[in-house]
Each structure stands twice: as C-alpha cells, then as structure tokens.
C-alpha cells in the first residue's frame, strides 16, 4: 500500500463543528470522561450527529484548569467543564436555538484562549503538534495530519545513511536527560556489523513531578511508533521494544491499540509500505523501579533479568540487548523524528540555541498558577516559563526557585531566572535539563525540605548494587533529617558536603552520581537556610 491509498482508506467524513474533549491525564482524573459522555449524549438527544462530532483527544496543555473542552472551527477553549454544562456547550457550538431549560449559568470561554494567552502563545509545538487534536485511539486521525508520511518518504527517497545524516544535521540531542547527540548515536549503531539489532524506546519515566512522556504516549502514540520505525530503517534493526512504566495504564492501552492498528495497515511488520523494511514493536511493562530508567538496567529488565545498572563500556550501541547493537532513545526523542524528516534538518536546526536545537517539553508544576504540559523553544528564559507561561506564584507570594531534572537535577534560584533554558546553561547553574520535570517553589518552601525529599526518593529507589549509593544516600538522608529537626551542627554540615562529594564521584551509575545534586545546589544557593537550622 502506498501513502495515498492509506490516506484514502482511512479518510473520515467531516462535520461543520467538532468538540474536542481532553480525556487523558489531569482532565481524566477531573471527570473528563464523564464530560465527553455527556456531550455525546447531548448531540444524540438533539439529532446533531451530522453537524457536530464529539472527540476524545489527548492533552490540551493547561492541566490545572481541566476538564478542558475546545470547540472548532474557531478553537474556543472552555475550562473546568462539568457534565451538566454539556447541553449548553453543544447548543452554543452549533448556534442551535432549542429551548431546553438551561438551568446552569451561561458558560464563559476560558481566559486562556490559545491564540491570545501567553500560556499558549509563548510555546512552540513540534512534539505536541497533534496533542489535543487527534483521538489517540484512532489511526485515522493521525494519518489525516501527515501521520506516517515521514516514514513513507524515507523508505522511498532516503538511504539509511541519509536518514542518520539528516538527524545529525538537525542537531537533535537525546531528550531523556543526558543530551547526547541523537545522530551520533544512530550512526554508531548503523556502523556496527550487519545482523540482529534492536531499537528501544525508554518510556520508564520516573522523576517526581514529570509526566511529559506519559502525556505524549497517551495523546499521540503513533508518532512514537513512526519515529521508531524510521530509526529502525536507519540503523538496520528489525525488532523494537517500548519499555513503559506499569503505572501508566492509559499509555499502555493506547500503545497496544496503536501497535495493533499499525500492524493491520502494514505500517509495522513485514515489508512496510511494500519496502524491504521489516520491523516489529513489542511492549515491555516495567514494575516501577526508578533505576530501570538507566539504560543498562532497562535492558536487563527487558531480557528478564533483575534491573540493575552495569559498568560501561561497552555501550548499548555496541553491545546492548542480548549482546547485540541496540539504539535507545526516549519517547520525546522519537517524537521529534517525523517532523524533522517532514520539514527538513535545517528547519529544526534553526530553532533553539547554538548547541541546543529544537524545543523541549516540560511538565510545569508546583507553586505556579498555570500548571500543565508545555513545549518551548530551547533558549527561552526560565523567567518566561515561570512568569509568562506559568503566571508566577499565587497572589501574595513570590517565586523562590525552580527545580529541574528531577532527583538528578538541581534547584535554581529566582535571581538566575534570566538564564537561557539549554543544556549548557542549566549545567553551569548546577542543574540539568533532565527529562523535563520543572517544579516551581515559592517563598514558603523550605529548600532543606526539598533536598531531603529528593534524597529520600533516591535512597528508596537505590538498587543497592554499589556501596556509595546504597549507604551514602541513607547517610545523606539522615543528616538532612537532623537539619530539618533542628539537631544539626557545623560538623554535620561538613560531613554533608563530604558525603555529597563521595557519592557523586564513586557511585556506579548516573543515578547515584547525580543523587547529591539537589543537596549541592541548595547548599550553593540557599546555604543560609541550612545555617538557620543549626
């Protein structure tokens, strides 16, 4: 089947009006599914099926205002919608004039209109371009928005070497945290001797407060499958795995549906698009161990072994799953691939900073007024994210700091908010980009408590393989508890700093090496809070 035939096969009838209802993540937990059902009932009751279509869609972004509903064609957004407002919304959407007793107050459109409010206008969507537009359970929606066009193009117009060169030229760096150049990793796997190779998607997102990958999988799963298939063609792999957290049941459900649909239409399996490419994808469900986000532990878990890190080298690109060359990228990285192929490497490289290209997806949470899923161009300032997009702290409060990078990251004070958000700048401040968690803290937040919270997380999630991490995180946590209980002295402060240095420089894997970062950064910028507790 060619792309044109696929698009014709999956073409859908259009209606003048479309009501999009977010049914994932935060909106789902706020009764979004009941809102969607009520909207569908209202449409059926008033025989409007030919005029309006109600769709369940992925994340609309402004998670703190859910359930969210957006009405096309003009794109009006409504927030905190209740099932009782469904009839009125359908009436407004269709300009109908039936005379039901609308006992609810007239619904006002949200103040956060996508074409006007900084929460949306300051963003740039590449990864999230389909989020909130497509029904994640319908391949028809994805294909209608150029879905699988990039895969079709590379199979017809590109050699595998040309694909890896395009990704390298784009400047895309891995979005899982380390920021390693994606094209270089692809080239390494592609150059390994022919034979069995693997493509793996790391969807074991475990940072506290982070839900970017979950949202992408829940909202637009076909995009990740397409990125993985393009990667498989580039490096010569025939088998792929998505390692996803067991705590993400909706993402798992949507992935399973998407894989079945892709197989049905010849987009996974043998001779994809009638080409020589054979590529299968299977899911592997993680049991919730944070350490399995580390790639050697992840591969061990896929193989059925205990998920603990292993010494490197060799690196997975040379000797990965079952000793074979393995390409590992995370969800967001694969979600960038199709747009790069469709729009060109130069287009992507033109976004961002000199060394950090493209955009970054963040889950903006904490003591900020507008929490949600955002995607911003690299190079934007932290100030713009916190104040313009996030709306700053609540009335009467001020923002003290942001924490980026999860338990491996650091805390950045408000005095450094003019800093550009890119890999190098965040590292200079003692933090990291990480996978995309961004937690805002206000003037009531104790930074010592923040450090203790993340150290407790690292202590409980340590796999226990190496002594520095296994014992060091326990001792660091106990010392931090002495500070929060007002029992610490100057010797404890000295020991705290020495232990941070030891754990950082002697732990086996990156998770242990980065565990002291929240303590180190809070000591650097908020040392006075530690001294005040002695």
């Amino acid at each position: 089947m060619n792309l044109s035939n696929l698009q014709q096969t999956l073409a859908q009838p259009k209606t003048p009006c479309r009501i999009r209802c977010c049914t994932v993540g935060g909106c789902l937990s706020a009764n979004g599914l009941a809102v969607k059902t009520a909207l569908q009932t209202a449409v059926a009751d008033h025989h409007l099926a030919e005029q309006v279509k109600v769709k369940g869609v992925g994340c609309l972004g402004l998670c703190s205002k859910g359930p969210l509903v957006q009405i096309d064609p003009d794109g009006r957004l409504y927030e905190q919608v209740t099932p009782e407002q469904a009839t009125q919304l359908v009436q407004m959407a269709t300009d109908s004039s039936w005379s039901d007793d609308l006992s609810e107050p007239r619904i006002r459109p949200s103040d956060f209109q996508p074409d006007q409010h900084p929460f949306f206008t300051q963003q740039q969507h590449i990864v999230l371009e389909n989020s909130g537009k497509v029904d994640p359970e319908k391949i028809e929606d994805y294909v209608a928005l150029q879905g699988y066009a990039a895969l079709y193009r590379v199979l017809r117009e590109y050699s595998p070497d040309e694909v890896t060169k395009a990704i390298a030229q784009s400047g895309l760096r891995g979005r899982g945290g380390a920021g390693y150049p994606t094209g270089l990793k692809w080239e390494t796997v592609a150059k390994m001797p022919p034979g069995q190779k693997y493509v793996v998607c790391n969807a074991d997102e475990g940072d506290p407060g982070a839900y970017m990958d979950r949202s992408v999988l829940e909202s637009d799963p076909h995009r990740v499958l397409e990125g993985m298939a393009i990667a498989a063609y580039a490096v010569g792999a025939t088998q792929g795995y998505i390692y996803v957290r067991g705590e993400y049941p909706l993402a798992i459900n949507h992935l399973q549906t998407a894989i079945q649909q892709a197989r049905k239409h010849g987009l996974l399996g043998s001779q994809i698009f009638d080409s020589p490419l054979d590529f299968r994808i299977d899911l592997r469900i993680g049991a919730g161990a944070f350490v399995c986000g580390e790639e050697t532990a992840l591969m061990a878990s896929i193989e059925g072994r205990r998920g603990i890190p292993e010494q490197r080298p060799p690196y997975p690109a040379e000797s990965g799953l079952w000793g074979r060359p393995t390409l590992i990228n995370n969800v967001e990285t694969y979600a960038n691939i199709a747009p790069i192929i469709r729009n060109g490497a130069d287009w992507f490289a033109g976004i961002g900073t000199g060394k950090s290209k493209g955009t970054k997806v963040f889950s903006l949470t904490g003591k900020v007024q507008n929490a949600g899923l955002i995607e911003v161009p690299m190079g934007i300032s932290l100030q713009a994210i916190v104040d313009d997009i996030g709306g700053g702290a609540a009335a009467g409060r001020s923002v003290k700091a942001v924490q980026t990078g999860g338990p491996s990251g650091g805390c950045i004070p408000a005095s450094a908010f003019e800093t550009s958000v890119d890999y190098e700048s965040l590292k200079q401040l003692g933090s990291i980009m990480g996978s995309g968690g961004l937690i805002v803290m206000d003037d009531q937040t104790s930074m010592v408590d923040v450090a203790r919270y993340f150290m407790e997380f690292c202590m409980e999630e340590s796999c226990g393989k190496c002594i520095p991490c296994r014992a060091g995180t326990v001792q660091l946590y106990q010392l931090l508890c002495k500070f929060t209980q007002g029992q610490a002295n100057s010797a404890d402060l000295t020991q705290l700093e020495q232990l941070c240095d030891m754990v950082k420089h002697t732990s086996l894997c990156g998770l242990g090496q980065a565990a002291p970062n929240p303590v180190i950064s809070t000591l650097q910028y908020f040392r006075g809070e530690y001294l005040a507790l002695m």
Side-chain angles (χ1 to χ4, degrees):
M1 178 179 290
N2 61 35
L3 182 64
S4 179
N5 289 340
L6 177 70
Q7 292 170 335
Q8 291 175 12
T9 301
L10 298 177
Q12 303 175 86
K14 295 183 179 179
T15 54
C17 179
R18 186 173 61 168
I19 301 177
R20 289 179 278 135
C21 183
C22 178
T23 54
V24 302
C27 287
L28 184 64
S29 64
N31 216 21
L33 196 58
V35 171
K36 178 195 170 192
T37 301
L39 288 164
Q40 291 173 322
T41 301
V43 169
D45 288 348
H46 294 88
H47 311 291
L48 292 169
E50 295 184 359
Q51 297 182 44
V52 59
K53 181 178 180 61
V54 177
K55 293 174 64 69
V57 296
C59 186
L60 285 163
L62 192 57
C63 304
S64 59
K65 305 295 182 183
L68 298 170
V69 170
Q70 195 164 10
I71 298 178
D72 296 327
D74 61 8
R76 280 169 293 165
L77 182 69
Y78 295 85
E79 64 183 55
Q80 297 178 334
V81 178
T82 66
E84 291 74 21
Q85 295 173 317
T87 299
Q88 188 182 148
L89 269 177
V90 172
Q91 186 172 1
M92 292 164 57
T94 57
D95 293 325
S96 300
S97 58
W98 70 73
S99 57
D100 287 352
D101 177 19
L102 301 177
S103 56
E104 292 285 327
R106 188 167 181 79
I107 307 170
R108 288 182 59 251
S110 170
D111 292 334
F112 294 80
Q113 291 307 310
D115 60 343
Q116 300 170 7
H117 196 277
F119 180 86
F120 294 103
T121 59
Q122 290 279 315
Q123 296 189 47
Q124 183 172 359
H125 285 184
I126 296 176
V127 170
L128 302 180
E129 64 179 348
N130 291 341
S131 185
K133 296 178 181 176
V134 301
D135 183 337
E137 297 185 275
K138 290 186 178 298
I139 190 174
E140 295 89 343
D141 280 16
Y142 184 66
V143 170
L145 294 178
Q146 302 187 72
Y148 291 104
L151 175 60
Y152 184 80
R153 183 176 179 184
V154 300
L155 294 176
R156 291 291 186 280
E157 302 176 15
Y158 286 56
S159 69
D161 185 52
E162 288 172 331
V163 177
T164 57
K165 286 181 177 176
I167 300 304
Q169 186 181 347
S170 74
L172 175 65
R173 296 168 66 172
R175 298 301 196 239
Y180 190 80
T182 303
L184 183 58
K185 184 182 284 188
W186 288 30
E187 288 174 2
T188 303
V189 179
K191 290 177 179 176
M192 296 304 291
Q196 181 66 61
K197 298 179 182 177
Y198 297 99
V199 167
V200 173
C201 176
N202 185 348
D204 195 50
E205 180 179 59
D207 290 357
Y211 58 90
M212 306 74 56
D213 290 353
R214 189 202 72 205
S215 292
V216 171
L217 294 174
E218 289 179 345
S219 303
D220 197 11
H222 281 285
R223 169 178 291 260
V224 179
L225 303 186
E226 185 177 10
M228 291 180 68
I230 293 171
Y233 174 71
V235 304
T238 56
Q239 176 65 52
Y241 293 100
I242 300 176
Y243 189 87
V244 59
R245 297 179 68 79
E247 296 93 330
Y248 287 177
L250 187 62
I252 293 169
N253 182 41
H254 286 181
L255 277 171
Q256 290 172 330
T257 300
I259 290 172
Q260 290 171 2
Q261 292 171 341
R263 288 174 179 164
K264 177 182 177 181
H265 293 284
L267 303 168
L268 289 176
S270 300
Q271 298 182 325
I272 296 172
F273 276 132
D274 296 326
S275 76
L277 176 63
D278 299 337
F279 184 58
R280 289 172 48 86
I281 295 178
D282 293 313
L283 296 185
R284 289 292 182 270
I285 312 301
F290 179 69
V291 74
C292 284
E294 197 277 340
E295 57 187 15
T296 59
L298 182 150
M299 291 189 299
S301 184
I302 289 178
E303 293 177 359
R305 298 184 287 118
R306 180 185 172 193
I308 54 176
E310 297 177 0
Q311 190 73 43
R312 297 178 299 179
Y315 292 94
E318 303 163 314
S319 178
L321 282 173
W322 295 285
R324 305 303 306 172
T326 301
L327 175 68
I328 304 179
N329 285 128
N330 83 328
V331 171
E332 186 180 342
T333 307
Y334 286 121
N336 271 296
I337 300 302
I340 290 174
I341 297 298
R342 289 202 313 266
N343 300 306
D346 291 342
W347 163 80
F348 189 86
I351 302 168
T353 66
K355 294 184 178 179
S356 299
K357 305 296 187 183
T359 58
K360 182 73 191 76
V361 180
F362 289 101
S363 52
L364 179 60
T365 59
K367 302 293 183 64
V368 67
Q369 296 193 61
N370 312 325
L373 186 72
I374 65 170
E375 183 177 7
V376 293
M378 294 282 195
I380 192 173
S381 68
L382 283 167
Q383 194 85 56
I385 292 177
V386 174
D387 289 342
D388 298 342
I389 297 176
R397 305 257 61 92
S398 61
V399 173
K400 178 192 282 188
V402 297
Q403 204 277 347
T404 66
S408 301
C411 296
I412 301 171
S415 58
F417 276 9
E418 289 300 325
T419 301
S420 162
V421 175
D422 58 67
Y423 291 99
E424 287 70 29
S425 297
L426 293 182
K427 185 177 181 180
Q428 287 179 356
L429 291 174
S431 189
I432 60 172
M433 183 78 74
S435 60
L438 200 156
I439 303 172
V440 180
M441 299 151 190
D442 69 9
D443 53 359
Q444 291 185 315
T445 305
S446 164
M447 303 309 291
V448 182
D449 269 342
V450 170
R452 184 184 63 166
Y453 168 79
F454 282 109
M455 189 53 64
E456 183 179 18
F457 178 88
C458 292
M459 176 183 69
E460 293 182 348
E461 293 293 339
S462 173
C463 76
K465 182 173 181 177
C466 72
I467 293 176
C469 179
R470 182 179 70 229
T473 54
V474 173
Q475 293 185 36
L476 282 168
Y477 173 72
Q478 291 173 344
L479 280 170
L480 290 166
C481 286
K482 291 184 70 174
F483 278 92
T484 58
Q485 294 165 1
Q487 300 172 354
N489 54 38
S490 57
D492 293 319
L493 182 60
T494 301
Q495 187 179 11
L496 184 71
E497 293 178 303
Q498 291 174 340
L499 272 172
C500 284
D501 185 72
M502 183 276 292
V503 174
K504 180 176 183 178
H505 291 100
T506 59
S507 292
L508 173 64
C509 77
L511 299 185
Q513 293 162 8
N517 283 352
V519 183
I520 295 171
S521 63
T522 51
L523 279 169
Q524 178 181 356
Y525 297 115
F526 304 97
R527 194 178 188 87
E529 294 193 25
Y530 285 84
L531 297 176
L533 294 171
M534 290 167 55

